[in-house]
Amino acid sequence: QRAAWLGWCANDAPAALVKHRGDPQVHWMLGLTADDGRIASAEKLAQYKNPAAVDTSATKFNVLSVSRLAPEAPTLFANFQPTPEELAAVAADPAGIKCPVSRKLFAMDPDALIQELKTAGLRGCGGAGFPTHFKWRAVRDAKAADGAPKYLVINADEGLPNTYKDLHLLQDPACRMRMLVGACLAAQTVGASKGYVYLRYEYKNLKPAIEAAFQRYATVINPAVAQRGFELEVVLGAGPYICGEETALFESIEGQLPQARTARHVYPTHHGLFGAPTLVGNVETFSWATQIAYRGGRALADAGTNKMQGVKLFSVTGDVARPTLLELPLGTTLRQLLEEVCGYDVSEVAAVEVGGITESLVRPPDFDKPLSLDGRRTSLAAGGSVVVFHKARFDEEEIYNAKARFAEAESCQLCTPCRDGTRILRHAMPAILKGLLPPSQMALMRQYVHAMEVSSNCGHGKAFGKMAREVIEDVEAKHHDDAQDNTNTAASTTDGEGKPRPRVALWLPRPKNFTTAK
């Protein structure tokens, strides 16, 4: 059967995980081919062929910098070019900093740096889109308990299916160093003395490279980091998708069950990892912090379009010519993105998943909406994941059923609305999509998804509840329109051929520990 997103698919798809009985290790098989002798049913791989692929021999994804559109815009894929004055100043630096960029960055006033983040309009690049300068300011101003340190956490879990932007930033030596510089700069700004890189378990081969890069930077390139006592530890993720939620991530680092904390009014900036003020951010966010500190916030702000600020990375997969890591100005429309990466006419695109697996599909009438992180109703969520579906193999029911299975499997089981709601909707989704549920049970489904949206403990249940509500609204609108198109009042109960549309009573399996009260 098809496996979940393994984290390697962007470079080496198709990929597989193999677990043998009696063997505690899990083994990877990368770059599988139709005649691969490593698996017995390799011929089945043909059914997953991408109809849009133009170069099946290439295993690496494209990386397209924003410089192709705006040569002067800041980019995460170009090295800094120090001025002669900056290079000359390094030789006389009393702290022994050997990098002119680091010398300039670490000489900045912390308050001035936070102001540059505000000017840039930088928001969290993991998907939430919270203003970065608010976090940095809150942690800097927070008072830790006597003798307690402040912490910094780099969220490199990247559990969102079809996303590989952080993978590239961690793999590429220059990008990796830029991220570490941003983290060290953030630690100095907010006063953190201990940092963690929470690395996705499937990326464990990158752990030695990250540790070696930090050691070299803190002791050779910028000894001031080690002199200040800042330490960075790489921790492998626990595996669940929910670990991308910051408080579940804290619980995992602390050695607890990775579940989101229930005290939602307590913010990590004041009570985070080990109960101390904690600055947590995405790999891409810390990378942009380095750019902003060196070039100034206005340069990044001016790079946006359609009255929006900033630049964002997008992992584009699905039915495209080649998987592409795309750097685009925020405010760019989805249609413009598709025209660049599809390799065929955009009119052949049936739908696009933008922002992640818990988002509804975007249809062609909405392709002209801009990509943004500010949560506007008139824009699309720029969470970083873009999956394109060609008309030739578009199956809406299978896509939403897969989303429902994912939501149930990845629920941490802590709160009732998410634990039971995802389970109910996973069983009900096929009947909902086919319009087979009677009105009374559709009303019940609306109550379930409303409870998920307003009462779930974390964003997982809330996001899936929102998506399920939009699916229900679309189905009801479709059948309402079908009924309006027929003059016969009974037409709403018939299918397109005039035959009675079957109605089903939703049956849900009882939990194993279910008992009937007597």
Side-chain angles (χ1 to χ4, degrees), residues 123-130 160 165 282 285 312 355 359 372-373 381-384:
R123 292 174 176 265
C125 298
F130 191 80
L160 186 68
K165 65 182 184 66
N282 181 259
T285 307
K312 183 74 177 64
E359 297 291 334
S372 170
L373 283 170

Side-chain angles (χ1 to χ4, degrees), residues 371-383:
L371 298 161
S372 170
L373 283 170
D374 57 14
R376 301 180 190 178
R377 288 182 174 270
T378 56
S379 62
L380 300 173

Side-chain angles (χ1 to χ4, degrees), residues 294-334:
Y294 187 70
R295 296 195 53 179
R298 180 50 54 191
L300 184 64
D302 291 344
T305 62
N306 291 330
K307 299 180 180 180
M308 298 182 187
Q309 296 178 315
V311 178
K312 183 74 177 64
L313 296 182
F314 295 90
S315 307
V316 186
T317 57
D319 298 330
V320 294
R322 283 181 65 187
T324 303
L325 183 57
L326 203 61
E327 195 176 41
L328 282 177
L330 288 172
T332 302
T333 66
L334 179 58

Side-chain angles (χ1 to χ4, degrees), residues 88-101:
V90 171
D93 186 78
I97 299 177
K98 296 180 174 58
C99 173
V101 175

Side-chain angles (χ1 to χ4, degrees), residues 118-193:
K118 182 178 181 179
T119 301
L122 181 65
R123 292 174 176 265
C125 298
F130 191 80
T132 302
H133 73 276
F134 278 149
K135 281 187 178 182
W136 288 41
R137 172 67 67 187
V139 178
R140 175 170 171 76
D141 294 342
K143 303 299 183 183
D146 293 341
K150 293 181 182 180
Y151 293 98
L152 178 143
V153 177
I154 303 172
N155 187 349
D157 189 60
E158 196 166 49
L160 186 68
N162 305 302
T163 308
Y164 50 88
K165 65 182 184 66
D166 292 347
L167 173 64
H168 178 75
L169 294 178
L170 294 169
Q171 280 183 327
D172 183 82
C175 293
R176 179 168 59 236
M177 185 61 73
R178 194 171 295 118
M179 180 269 295
L180 292 173
V181 172
C184 293
L185 185 62
Q188 175 178 287
T189 302
V190 304
S193 58

